[in-house]
DNA sequence: CGTTTTGTTGAAACATTTCAAAATAGGTGG
DNA sequence: CCACCTATTTTGAAATGTTTCAACAAAACG
């Protein structure tokens, strides 16, 4: 069957044992497996846009997705980068509001789509599953509160150092200590809420101070400890 | 009985029909009613502190609570002001993390406390209730994302105008158009993430421009339309 | 190979913060 | 209820971090 190739089985998916889906019964996994749609998304594709409505949410099997808002005068504010195992787009279908963010593929991705009615069926049937999703939302809420405090109180320099450290924690380094996510200077700027030029200047300061090395968009983390200290991370 | 005076009945509580508790059955309302603890809290009292653990969450019957984080060098970042009908402190008991905020009484309050095990019992028994709480968390998450974008992209002037408008929306005006929440200049500053002096200067600019009038901590909203325009609120 | 996007640099402009000093308001104990 | 003490508010001036603008270099792309 063609479908079997396009649609990986949920039973074999690593996400099912490590994410909100852990509390599903085998039957429920089967249910999701039958109803989800899995697709490959090319770099640059926009999955959904702020202000719009979706009729489901996404579970990322591989790749990287940029989740962002468009602020005053069209300036992009990046909320997060989602990767393997992350769930996105659930917020708006739960709260019943239009999407408060847009999502764009940063690295070619394989992503499953689960329809709102199917999600609600599971939520109604399996309270434990609901609690899992609630936990996820609460964790994200805590992260958002931290982020608010950081942006409000820290300098651009501190925030850049912090972002480098937290990107390292989320996306890791390769054998050469190179950050496994490649962002433009502008994206870095839109993540920490500053001007592109400021990011460029501060990155080359960090380079001079031997905290990082730069090769185009590749960033080698040389001295994470000092970066952490600069970031004022507790 | 003394208790009857201290402990208002949940069945008569306006919060039970307007908040996450709407989906509870009469029996479950009874359950909560028997197990909650309701107390009066004096101005200035700290309900819980960032980094600590609580064994339950709070439902506000009256009064105002300041929810805030302590950032670098002890600077307070106000996350929100909670009032009648709001639920606070649920995030950490759900996510299983220590509290990410502190909560302090701003205006004398009557607040009910519900124990974690009782919450979990309801969540497990009544999936609809869980969905309500999930919706609340998702709505707050959307608000947090908006706030991040605002702080990152708007000027202090814009943010101050925005905060005045949104405080009006949340706490209302009296017959004299005076904002029904009284904050120090420092608290306003800690809400929008700026220096106290900046708030003072901008408030008196707004006053000169006939957008507001000031009498100590009382702020009269004179021209909400213009404030909204300055705030770049869409 | 030309065209567009991204990255870099310098200099000037700007918003905001910081520091200091004084005025005012608020609260408490005598 | 006054007097005192503390916290808050206000103002000015200087310092600072960051942005903006402009021009150019380099890389990516079709």
């Amino acid at each position: 069957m063609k479908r079997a190739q396009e649609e990986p089985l949920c039973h074999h998916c690593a996400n099912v044992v490590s994410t909100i889906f852990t509390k599903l019964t085998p039957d429920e996994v089967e249910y999701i497996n039958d109803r989800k749609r899995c697709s490959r998304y090319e770099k640059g594709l926009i999955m959904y846009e702020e202000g719009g409505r979706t009729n489901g949410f996404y579970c990322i099997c591989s790749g990287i997705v940029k989740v962002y808002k468009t602020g005053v005068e069209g300036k992009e504010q990046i909320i997060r980068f989602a990767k393997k195992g992350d769930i996105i787009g659930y917020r708006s279908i739960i709260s019943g509001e239009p999407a408060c963010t847009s999502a764009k593929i940063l690295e070619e991705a394989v992503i499953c789509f689960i329809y709102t009615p199917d999600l609600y069926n599971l939520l109604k049937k399996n309270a434990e599953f609901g609690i899992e999703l609630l936990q996820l939302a609460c964790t994200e809420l805590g992260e958002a509160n931290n982020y608010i405090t950081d942006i409000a109180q820290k300098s651009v320099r501190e925030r850049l150092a912090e972002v480098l450290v937290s990107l390292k924690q989320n996306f890791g380094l390769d054998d050469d200590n190179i950050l496994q996510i490649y962002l433009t200077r502008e994206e870095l700027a839109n993540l920490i809420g500053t001007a592109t030029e400021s990011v460029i200047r501060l990155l080359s300061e960090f380079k001079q101070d031997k905290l990082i090395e730069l090769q185009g968009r590749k960033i080698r983390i040389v001295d994470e400890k000092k970066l952490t200290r600069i970031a004022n991370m507790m």
Side-chain angles (χ1 to χ4, degrees), chain A:
Chain A
M1 292 185 296
K2 177 143 184 262
R3 166 123 186 270
Q5 294 173 344
E6 301 274 12
E7 306 267 331
L9 291 170
C10 290
H11 322 72
H12 300 144
C13 176
N15 289 349
V16 168
V17 292
S18 66
T19 65
I20 55 164
F21 301 109
T22 37
K23 290 284 164 47
L24 294 184
T25 65
D27 275 4
E28 288 164 348
V29 172
E30 188 62 36
Y31 176 82
I32 283 286
N33 184 56
D34 288 347
R35 294 165 171 269
K36 67 144 200 303
R37 277 289 163 272
C38 194
S39 325
R40 177 172 296 276
Y41 291 82
E42 293 198 355
K43 186 170 172 156
L45 193 138
I46 291 176
M47 297 168 62
Y48 59 82
E49 277 189 291
E50 190 176 350
R53 302 265 178 187
T54 60
N55 53 353
F57 72 100
Y58 301 85
C59 178
I60 301 173
C61 301
S62 69
I64 302 179
V65 180
K66 171 167 80 176
V67 179
Y68 60 98
K69 285 182 70 74
T70 305
V72 254
E73 295 166 45
K75 189 163 161 42
E76 165 182 294
Q77 176 63 39
I78 298 175
I79 300 296
R80 60 190 278 231
F81 291 105
K83 59 171 197 303
K84 180 174 154 49
D86 288 335
I87 309 291
I88 64 174
Y90 72 90
R91 200 207 63 81
S92 65
I93 64 168
I94 294 286
S95 71
E97 302 159 338
C100 79
T101 54
S102 306
K104 187 174 183 178
I105 306 295
L106 199 79
E107 296 291 344
E108 182 171 282
V110 174
I111 300 175
C112 291
F113 180 79
I114 292 158
Y115 290 96
T116 308
D118 296 333
L119 171 64
Y120 270 89
N121 280 340
L122 291 177
L123 285 176
K124 280 179 195 152
K125 214 185 321 181
N126 185 338
E128 296 271 357
F129 172 67
I131 294 174
E132 285 292 317
L133 188 52
L134 184 55
Q135 273 173 5
L136 177 65
C138 286
T139 303
E140 287 188 23
L141 197 48
E143 287 164 5
N145 288 341
N146 289 335
Y147 204 20
I148 286 169
T149 309
D150 281 350
I151 296 192
Q153 298 195 354
K154 289 185 179 177
S155 67
V156 174
R157 183 191 176 79
E158 289 172 299
R159 278 180 277 157
L160 180 58
E162 177 163 21
V163 146
L164 292 177
V165 174
S166 77
L167 285 175
K168 186 233 152 189
Q169 285 163 359
N170 280 312
F171 295 93
L173 305 177
D174 70 3
D175 297 339
D176 249 7
N177 276 347
I178 286 173
L179 205 53
Q180 288 306 287
I181 181 174
Y182 306 140
L183 302 174
T184 64
R185 307 295 194 244
E186 192 182 1
E187 282 167 333
L188 277 170
N190 294 343
L191 189 52
I192 65 183
T194 188
T196 307
E197 295 94 328
S198 298
V199 167
I200 290 167
R201 283 181 240 269
L202 287 167
L203 280 181
S204 62
E205 257 187 66
F206 287 171
K207 185 175 139 190
Q208 284 201 327
D209 296 349
K210 308 244 181 280
L211 309 176
I212 59 172
E213 282 169 21
L214 298 169
Q215 307 155 37
R217 291 181 194 167
K218 294 186 180 176
I219 299 176
R220 173 177 291 125
I221 305 290
V222 177
D223 193 339
E224 188 185 349
K225 230 175 190 170
K226 250 183 205 158
L227 281 174
T228 309
R229 212 166 329 126
I230 288 174
N232 254 315
M233 295 168 87
M234 291 157 262

